[in-house]
Structures are given as structure tokens and as C-alpha cells.
Amino acid sequence: MAKTKLPSLFSTRKMLYVLSVMSVFWCLSSGSVHAATTSSAPNTHTAPNTHTALSASSVHENQQADTPRIIAAGGSVTEIIYALGRGDWVVATDSTSMFPAAATEVTKLGYFRQLSTEGVLAQQPSLLLGASATGPEPMLEQVAKAGVDVHVYHVSKDIDGLSEMILDIGHRVSAVEKAEQLVTDLHRQVDVQQRQYSEAIASYASTGYPNTISALFVVANNDRGITVAGAKTVPQALFDTLGMTNIASDLNGYKLMDAESVLMRNPDVVFAAGHMLHGENALNSLCSHHAIAATFAGQHCLVKAMDSSIGLGLSPRFAIALKAVAEHGLRALSIKAADTPMLEPVSSQSAIQNGVIQEQAIQVSIAKSPIAESTGVDKSTKTDTQGMGRFE
């Protein structure tokens, strides 16, 4: 019995020993595998993150490369671009681009009629958008040959031309919907101003005095005389929209107008470009100007300063300019109505006497004029230069 049990006991102990050794080796090998897996895990997760970061960087660089670098030449063009929400694409503007305030912080390249090729190309633009007088022409040609997309807007100086320019700029700066909405709002605002002005002047119908207003827009005043806005200008469009008469409508653009012509056409209201007025007494001085003093506007000092950017430029704020013109015209109409005798008509003799007095006043004013020898309107002299500060 004992002899048969000894080998069995020995085999059991040996088997237990072998199992113990195997267990130890199995644990050691499992730990190594786990350690290897743990140490490799960060590498597995790090690679995708690095790839994502590099991809984002590449996309950002591509987006920057695709974003147009715009040079805006002319206050009206600059204002439209900002109104369409693309002001952050503008890298430089001209010296007349002062609205909105953000435009004043952008690099200035000088007057938009006298830009230099070197100054423009130094900004590395991809697009140059300019008002109709942007130049000179050789600069535009050289910039275009350098690969810049150049577009200058030769549009009519009225609300239709303004709308056309807004829509085209909207297309070029990928803001079509905003451009369409801006044009819709613009026409609605203008319609409101027209309706309100028409209703206001209609209230003067019972006074028996003509409810029409004659106006003049002065853009410069120097030794040669006053330079005024004629046909095909923004002031002409403002007056036409309200049904006012521009006494300089027989001129084209901005021209000199002699004292006799101003006095004989007798404007009811005068507007003056803000950039030409310097000092607190600038408006009063214009009221007493020898070409204006004897007119209805001069006698009642109905001279109003207007921001040049909206008075001379095709601004999206056209309706604001229209409101200022309408209010000034209604002021003149109220003075006319108040001064008109309603109880009895003016006799022929009184009319003659008044005419003589007015003619004498005109002759006195003409005598003081440095251009008294010149009569009529100077239609040949071009004066739309930088000194006038045009804001197209």
C-alpha cells in the first residue's frame, strides 16, 4: 500500500510546483504586455490631434490667402463697402474716405484722383474699387497689368447710379443679399422723404405764394468767384428728387458762376460744402458774399452747411442728405409765406418800385465783384480739382 502511494504524492507535489512556476511566468508576461500597451497609448492618441491641428492651420492660411485685399478709392465706394460688412477686407483708402469712423484708421494713399502706382501696389491689393474720377489713368493701367482687379464706377450721380454701384460692389465682395437689402432700404427711405416734403409744401397752397424753391449748392469760394454744382452732380439729384430748382442746372458738373448770374436767378436757399467752411463765422460770411447778399437766401441768411461726403458723394446716406435739403427748403418757404401780404394784391406801381430797388441792389453788389467785367456763366472753366475736395 505504501509503495503505491509514494509515487502519487510525489507527482502531486511536482505538479503543484510546475503550476506555481507557470503562474509566475504568466503574471510577469501579462504585466509586460499591459505595460507595453499603456506606453503605446499616448502615441495612438497624439497622432490624430497633431494632424487636426495642422489641418486647421492649413485651412486658416488658405482662408487668409482667399480673402480679397481691397483698396477703396473715393468716399462713396469706401462707405458702401463698409455698409456691406466688408470693411475688414479694406487694406487702404484715399484721403476723402472718412466715414464710417473705422475707415479713418486704415492706411491713406492720398487724394483718389492722384494715386501713385507704387503706393497702391505696396499694399499688395487683389482688388481696387474706385469712384468715377479715380486716377490718373496710367496708374490704373499699371496696377491692372500687375495683376490687380481694377474697377472704376462711371455711374449717373443719382439714386439709380448709387443703386447700381451698391449692387455691383456687393457682387464683387460676396455680399449680394446685403447689397439688395441696402438698395431696398435706400429707396424706401427716399420715398418717405419725398412724401413728407410733398405733404409739407402742399400746406402752403392756400397762401397764394408759389410753393417752389430755387436752390444753389456752393462747393468753393475764391478770388475767381464761387464754384457751384450744376447738372450731373449729386446736389442736382437731391434737388430733382424733391422738385426744387437748381439755378445752376444749365452748367455741367462743377463750374464757376459769376455774381450777376447768381443775383439775377435769386436762390431761395444756398447750401455750402462743409469742407470749404472754416471758422465760426464762415456761414455768415457766405451770407454777406457779394454774389449772395442781395438774394432772398442772402437777405435771410438761408445758407446751410452740408457734410461734403453726403452732399457731394453718392453715399448710402442719400436719404439723410435729402432730409437736410428738404428741411432747409421748407424753412425758406415758411419765411416767404409769412412775408407775403394776403389782404390785397401788390399794385403794378409797387411791383415796378420793388423791381427797381432790387435791380439797384444787384448793381451795387456787382460793382463790388472782382469779376464784374464778366457776365453770364462760365461754362468752359474746369474747376473740379483737388482744391474743391470732391467726394465722389
Side-chain angles (χ1 to χ4, degrees):
M1 295 290 295
K3 289 182 178 179
T4 56
K5 290 180 180 179
L6 285 175
S8 177
L9 179 61
F10 175 77
S11 298
T12 301
R13 288 177 178 176
K14 186 176 181 180
M15 184 175 292
L16 289 174
Y17 173 77
V18 172
L19 289 174
S20 297
V21 172
M22 290 178 63
S23 176
V24 170
F25 277 107
W26 182 84
C27 290
L28 289 175
S29 110
S30 297
S32 298
V33 172
H34 178 70
T37 305
T38 304
S39 62
S40 65
N43 292 332
T44 303
H45 294 291
T46 301
N49 289 340
T50 303
H51 177 70
T52 303
L54 290 174
S55 299
S57 176
S58 300
V59 171
H60 180 67
E61 290 177 358
N62 290 334
Q63 288 176 341
Q64 285 186 324
D66 293 340
T67 300
R69 292 176 59 83
I70 301 175
I71 288 181
S76 57
V77 171
T78 300
E79 187 173 340
I80 290 171
I81 294 173
Y82 275 85
L84 296 177
R86 296 298 190 222
D88 56 336
W89 290 7
V90 177
V91 296
T93 65
D94 75 303
S95 59
T96 70
S97 299
M98 304 302 289
F99 186 91
T104 64
E105 301 174 0
V106 180
T107 300
K108 298 299 179 185
L109 300 179
Y111 189 54
F112 72 105
R113 289 170 172 261
Q114 300 174 353
L115 300 178
S116 70
T117 303
E118 295 77 9
V120 170
L121 294 180
Q123 303 303 316
Q124 300 181 337
S126 58
L127 178 63
L128 188 154
L129 301 177
S132 62
T134 300
E137 193 64 31
M139 179 277 299
L140 295 176
E141 294 175 357
Q142 292 166 2
V143 169
K145 287 181 180 178
V148 179
D149 184 9
V150 176
H151 189 78
V152 176
Y153 291 94
H154 300 285
V155 298
S156 57
K157 300 299 187 293
D158 53 26
I159 190 170
D160 291 334
L162 173 58
S163 300
E164 178 184 340
M165 188 159 59
I166 291 173
L167 293 174
D168 188 81
I169 292 177
H171 173 73
R172 293 175 187 275
V173 301
S174 304
V176 174
E177 291 185 2
K178 284 189 176 181
E180 292 174 348
Q181 186 60 53
L182 182 59
V183 169
T184 299
D185 292 342
L186 174 63
H187 282 267
R188 177 181 55 78
Q189 293 165 1
V190 169
D191 289 343
V192 169
Q193 291 301 321
Q194 283 181 311
R195 183 176 67 255
Q196 291 179 347
Y197 182 74
S198 296
E199 293 173 352
I201 63 174
S203 65
Y204 289 97
S206 60
T207 64
Y209 198 93
N211 57 0
T212 56
I213 294 294
S214 59
L216 180 67
F217 200 111
V218 179
V219 297
N221 175 27
N222 51 45
D223 293 340
R224 299 183 62 191
I226 59 174
T227 302
V228 301
K232 299 180 180 179
T233 63
V234 172
Q236 180 72 63
L238 292 170
F239 298 152
D240 286 345
T241 303
L242 295 174
M244 292 184 179
T245 300
N246 180 10
I247 69 167
S249 61
D250 57 337
L251 304 178
N252 278 324
Y254 299 91
K255 297 291 190 328
L256 283 171
M257 192 171 192
D258 63 76
E260 183 179 6
S261 296
V262 176
L263 289 164
M264 292 300 294
R265 299 177 188 189
N266 192 24
D268 299 315
V269 290
V270 172
F271 298 89
H275 72 272
M276 64 167 283
L277 301 173
H278 305 284
E280 296 180 358
N281 297 321
L283 283 178
N284 290 332
S285 297
L286 198 54
C287 289
S288 59
H289 188 278
H290 58 266
I292 298 173
T295 67
F296 183 87
Q299 291 172 346
H300 297 277
C301 204
L302 290 170
V303 179
K304 181 179 181 62
M306 282 195 68
D307 183 343
S308 298
S309 64
I310 63 174
L312 300 179
L314 276 177
S315 164
R317 294 172 291 158
F318 187 88
I320 295 177
L322 204 61
K323 184 174 186 292
V325 172
E327 291 176 346
H328 197 48
L330 290 173
R331 182 184 173 197
L333 197 56
S334 66
I335 294 174
K336 280 187 169 186
D339 290 345
T340 302
M342 299 300 296
L343 298 179
E344 56 184 72
V346 179
S347 66
S348 299
Q349 184 62 34
S350 297
I352 293 174
Q353 290 177 348
N354 290 337
V356 171
I357 293 173
Q358 183 178 16
E359 179 64 24
Q360 290 175 343
I362 291 174
Q363 293 302 325
V364 170
S365 295
I366 292 175
K368 298 178 181 179
S369 171
I371 54 172
E373 68 281 359
S374 174
T375 58
V377 178
D378 182 355
K379 299 184 180 182
S380 60
T381 305
K382 291 185 177 181
T383 57
D384 46 344
T385 62
Q386 179 177 358
M388 285 176 53
R390 299 255 321 259
F391 290 75
E392 298 242 7

